[in-house]
């Protein structure tokens, strides 16, 4: 492998271009040297914009010997095809979350990886690299505060992208909590439920907002997550962990305080980029480093599968207004550490 | 009526004696001039301690012409008898919460008051007089932040009194939220549910702690309340109101910050007296003032009834692991403002 | 003495009327039963307003046998005359700060009290009763944080009263710090200095604002106090104590937080009444209680004298742009505890 | 110039090695490809440790055609020699602060740069790249809060390095404030003064700690800076800016809050690395980027000179217990933007 990791990126939409800029101007040890998109012409135009090689066909790029590793940032339904291609080509692949929309597709990726005899896939759950969650995990894992009993979380967005519907709160927004809380607590989920709060009159017509997802873990920890996606104010991520011996809470945003007009105010985060920009950097840098060293360090294909199983259970719970069990396949030894 | 309100107190346990001291050493315009207790000898000994008149029989005190108004601070099951006696005697009565353990008993008090043709009863829900809740209510009522959609509340105690069981979280602890949130939102409840978190290993053997109560209001606001009664740390009351246009949160405790040992710390409230001491003062002073002016100003018998209806629904929900409807009698015109 | 302390108040301006209302509607154990003012007709009209007895001549009121104790809330130059009259009449007197504008006048009061053989005078330094300063003093006195080395204080006002000039920052505003910090540290001052910051363009024409007063104590603690009296924003009192082993800071105001418009804000205090209202209540209630018990509990005439000595030194330092020594008479045994 | 900036580092002590690791493992676009030290053997051993080229003689490295740019991280007295050598070699040089201990030496560097006809030198004042100061500067520069009038700053260290003496507070610690506040306010200083607080009993024997430096700017802004270097607790940097229309304050550290043991606590920064680690990264990355683009972007040689002039004035003020004027040479057009 070349000294600098030569990355081919497939999926040149917003998040893809963000990653190109991140890797090529801020991070170290890798370069996005080529890109491609299922919409071939679009991919080529982005390649031209960044002065990197364009491939009409993403599969050609993935298989090109000049490409050491793959980033997959396409629309979700395309993930499976390109991730499988990367595995087949024996190349490490970073796939934006979700690994695939359906758990069955995730399982096919898991199967391919196992057949290849080696882990190649990392899924883009960047919150595991966030300074706030990392501190919370360290505190929980220290055992100093007793075991966690309850988690109260909130995921608040100023506004949503086009096409947002009732299923999006679970599948596009709270899916982040589904992954990061499983990692934080180090255990799988047992049940999922979704309840609706009073609906804002200032949201997307026809869409229920806010929604509350309730998860329980196998050991009995109860989690509630508020998803409120049209606050028209700040982007806010809350995570309060009620342990036997202490209550743990997320850090405050690192903004100056301004006392004026008879109030003392501090800016809140404007959006997920402002909130998690550093986590993205750390995530991708860590992936580059691990890839060059020849292993998968972050959330892997099995994590990607587990996340979709829980998301599917939560979606079913929402649609059926019931508590739904989260049932995973047994974890293969292949993924046990 | 004498210039200074002459109060007879029945129930000389801890909260009763606290009120005697409060009224006789800090507040203005009233005096506890006599006391009594269902345990006659105990009541007489407390009277002697404070240098006030003792009555062997609480009913004699209530009916004594030297007594202008009554405070009832007995154990809950005795409330009904003494409150009814005060109504019959045509005297204003302040009754500690709950008005009576059963909604049916509350209804008998309501009926007696209506028959008497005048409101005499105030129930001791002191949180309505707390600076934090008052600010939250003012903010909600201002309409500046849009309608409330969700409430996230917590009620955390360092430890519990003897005899605490699985029903106590709803009936002794979260009953405060049941009253104050109905007042804060200005509407009745529609449903109640109780879910259990993972149980602390450091609580009362056999008692589930923490517990989560979920209430919805008639307009659809969703409320979750965490009750965690054996934190072994601070006493903490949280109330976060998610409105369409803002998130509102309780004030921080008014303690100095101390930066030492590589951390910056601020004391938390030690117990409910430290947290709500001012609210108790305001509550009782307001009651004295209103009583002298000849009207009921605070939470009345109907509020006391409504609270027990919702608490009973929550208890049933807990025992049956189901969502239970909260069904009130229609509000009599007598209680409409 | 009657069961209820019968108070005669001289000086029926704003602060005087506030105290009448405070004592007669909120506090316990005393009543303002009469009032008077150097402007006789004004005093009589206030008496009528509150339905209490008016005296044309304040001295007649002070000497009236129906008056148990005196409050002096006149303009500063009148304090001496009425305080001396109260001492002569053998009556406890609460005198708003300053005891008298000049240290010499304070010494005459001290002398009169010593001649009378008993302390009668309390000076209205209400900050000693503030929950914030009390906590800071408790922390300092605990010895847990080592000895204090530096104090950083600020005294910020939205705006000033008419007639404010360059001397007012020390004499009307920072005089509060002069008293409360001497009490907090338990020692006298050694030197005073006043420096000017850049002058706001939005203040009183011709008046330097902000100003910085630097005090040192006899043991060497260095104090800086910012006085900024035309912030046009909040009323803010800061007090940061740098100890050998910890940094101590004032509590935050007890207001709810509101997250809206991409910021999280908390109201600040609007004025000194909002900030120190509770301290005034505690101060006066404590004075009533001590007066009925027959002793002086709060800041006494000697404190009043010491404060004016330091204020005079600071004023001289400001006018001469130099560091001025603070030189007190030796404390008479009469005032030693 | 090569695609990747080839950096030669002179001065392989602690800060130098930190920069090697920073550049070679985290930043982008440059590599420390060689190092050297005035203590030749030591420099060679560090080179070996990092697997980069070692030079016995730093001047040989600076003049080597394989070196594009120079980092100077030697002990302060050596800065001048190597910076001058880099200028002579026509190479950009990043010099850790101070540019040189004496203002006269700084002037020789300024003169060399002017003679060379081009700016080559950046001085390592990393606070200008700190998220906190950047926000404060943006707020001040916005003009939204009126002009700054006062600054209250503190610079608190858990402990000091060996050899700390009375002059170190100004010259090693508050020199950071001297640079960053001049940048923040955009103007030069007029006067300097140093006052001593009460001395901690837990510091370095014979060294006065804390110390207070008072600076005024040409427009009249008054700045006080507390230096307390043996807190034995956290590392804390405060900067409160009192503007005509608002009070601005530094962000809080981004640590989780932990409520346990009846207090709510948040970790403080442990040391300057934890507090300013991100600022160092940004500083060096920005320097690499600007160097490759062919210009000096950060604090330049003139800034380095100005800083030493003010530091010398503060030192003289401390030694003479007087207010000392800060007198700069007129700024050459060469440094005007």
């Amino acid at each position: 492998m070349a000294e600098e990791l030569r990355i081919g990126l497939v999926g040149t939409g917003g998040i893809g271009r963000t990653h190109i800029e991140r890797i090529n101007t801020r991070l170290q040890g890798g370069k996005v040297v080529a890109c491609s998109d299922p919409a071939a012409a679009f991919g080529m135009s982005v390649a031209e914009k960044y002065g990197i090689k364009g491939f009409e066909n993403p599969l050609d790029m993935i298989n090109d010997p000049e490409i050491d590793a793959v980033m997959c940032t396409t629309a979700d339904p395309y993930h499976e095809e390109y991730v499988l291609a990367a595995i087949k080509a024996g190349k490490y692949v970073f796939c934006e979350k979700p690994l695939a929309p359906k758990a069955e597709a995730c399982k096919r990726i898991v199967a391919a990886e196992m057949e290849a005899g080696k882990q190649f896939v990392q899924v883009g759950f960047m919150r595991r690299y966030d300074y706030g969650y990392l501190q919370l995990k360290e505190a929980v894992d220290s055992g100093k505060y007793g075991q966690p009993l309850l988690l109260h979380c909130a995921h608040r967005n100023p506004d949503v992208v086009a096409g947002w519907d009732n299923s999006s709160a679970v599948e596009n927004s709270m899916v982040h909590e589904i992954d990061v809380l499983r990692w934080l607590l180090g255990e799988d989920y047992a049940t999922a439920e979704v309840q609706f709060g009073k609906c804002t009159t200032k949201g997307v017509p026809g869409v229920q907002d806010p929604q509350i997802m309730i998860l329980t873990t196998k050991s009995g920890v109860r989690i509630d997550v508020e998803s409120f996606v049209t606050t028209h104010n700040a982007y806010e991520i809350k995570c309060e962990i009620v342990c036997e011996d202490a209550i743990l809470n997320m850090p405050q945003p690192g903004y100056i305080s301004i006392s004026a007009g008879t109030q003392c105010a501090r800016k809140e985060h404007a959006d997920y980029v402002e909130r998690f920009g550093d986590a993205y950097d750390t995530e991708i840098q860590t992936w580059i480093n691990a890839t060059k060293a020849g292993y998968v360090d972050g959330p892997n294909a099995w994590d990607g599968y587990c996340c979709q199983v829980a998301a599917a259970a939560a979606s079913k719970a929402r649609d059926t207004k019931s508590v739904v069990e989260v049932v995973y396949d047994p974890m293969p030894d292949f993924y046990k550490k």
Side-chain angles (χ1 to χ4, degrees), chain A:
Chain A
M1 190 179 295
E3 257 228 350
E4 192 158 71
L5 188 74
R6 297 167 305 178
I7 301 163
L9 179 141
V10 52
T12 51
I15 183 75
R17 295 196 301 277
T18 303
H19 283 327
I20 295 176
E21 292 172 16
R22 184 186 318 281
I23 293 170
N24 288 6
T25 66
R26 280 206 302 281
L27 304 184
Q28 186 172 79
K31 277 279 172 308
V32 178
V33 296
C35 69
S36 187
D37 196 87
F42 175 55
M44 297 304 286
S45 75
V46 170
E48 195 180 344
K49 179 187 164 190
Y50 289 110
I52 59 180
K53 186 165 184 187
F55 284 84
E56 296 270 347
N57 185 339
L59 297 175
D60 290 345
M61 179 185 75
I62 292 168
N63 291 314
D64 192 293
E66 301 281 303
I67 296 298
D68 302 317
V70 176
M71 288 204 102
C72 178
T73 52
T74 62
D76 301 351
Y78 292 96
H79 288 180
E80 182 183 2
E81 177 181 3
Y82 300 123
V83 169
L84 288 174
I87 293 169
K88 199 171 164 196
K91 294 182 182 174
Y92 289 96
V93 53
F94 177 96
C95 179
E96 263 306 328
K97 62 98 199 166
L99 180 54
K102 297 284 175 200
E104 286 310 306
C106 296
K107 283 172 74 169
R108 287 190 291 269
I109 291 169
V110 160
E113 220 179 34
M114 290 177 67
E115 201 183 305
K118 181 174 163 189
Q119 290 186 35
F120 288 107
V121 181
Q122 175 164 338
V123 187
F125 289 118
M126 88 293 183
R127 288 204 191 173
R128 299 187 183 197
Y129 300 90
D130 173 60
Y131 65 99
Y133 284 111
L134 285 166
Q135 289 181 66
L136 290 173
K137 183 163 178 56
E138 186 185 353
V140 166
D141 288 352
S142 76
K144 289 200 292 186
Y145 307 111
Q147 56 177 337
L149 306 175
L150 299 173
L151 274 70
H152 304 301
C153 305
H155 186 139
R156 295 168 184 153
N157 280 60
D159 213 340
V160 291
V161 293
W164 197 268
D165 64 26
N166 264 337
S167 69
S168 306
V170 166
E171 287 160 30
N172 289 43
S173 176
M174 293 190 284
V175 71
H176 278 292
E177 271 81 11
I178 287 175
D179 177 70
V180 82
L181 301 180
R182 173 178 169 271
W183 164 80
L184 198 158
L185 295 172
E187 59 169 332
D188 282 325
Y189 298 115
T191 65
E193 186 182 359
V194 175
Q195 300 188 347
F196 288 176
K198 188 172 194 171
C199 192
T200 179
T201 60
K202 301 180 180 177
V204 180
V207 175
Q208 172 62 37
D209 186 38
Q211 299 185 14
I212 314 287
M213 178 174 67
I214 299 168
L215 299 169
T216 62
T217 68
K218 293 212 184 289
S219 81
V221 180
R222 183 189 181 276
I223 298 163
D224 46 55
V225 184
E226 170 199 329
S227 165
F228 184 12
V229 297
T230 55
T231 66
H232 303 301
N233 285 316
Y235 179 84
E236 187 181 16
I237 299 299
K238 298 187 73 168
C239 183
E240 181 178 46
I241 306 182
V242 180
C243 297
E244 288 181 311
D245 299 325
I247 316 289
L248 314 175
N249 267 285
M250 273 282 169
Q252 291 192 359
Y255 294 115
I256 59 171
S257 69
I258 300 178
S259 293
T262 73
Q263 64 179 23
C264 180
R266 197 200 62 233
K267 203 176 90 69
E268 298 270 4
H269 291 113
D271 54 28
Y272 78 96
V273 177
E274 211 171 283
R275 172 67 184 81
F276 288 113
D278 285 351
Y280 276 111
D281 281 0
T282 308
E283 172 194 48
I284 305 293
Q285 183 68 65
T286 306
W287 175 72
I288 290 172
N289 295 352
T291 297
K292 290 171 78 171
Y295 61 94
V296 170
D297 183 50
N300 61 26
W302 184 256
D303 295 319
Y305 159 73
C306 289
C307 191
Q308 292 318 104
V309 170
S315 289
K316 185 177 167 194
R318 179 194 61 238
D319 295 341
T320 59
K321 297 279 165 218
S322 62
V323 179
V324 171
E325 274 189 70
V326 182
V327 184
Y328 309 89
D329 284 356
M331 186 195 269
D333 289 341
F334 182 79
Y335 289 103
K336 288 179 183 156
K337 292 188 182 150

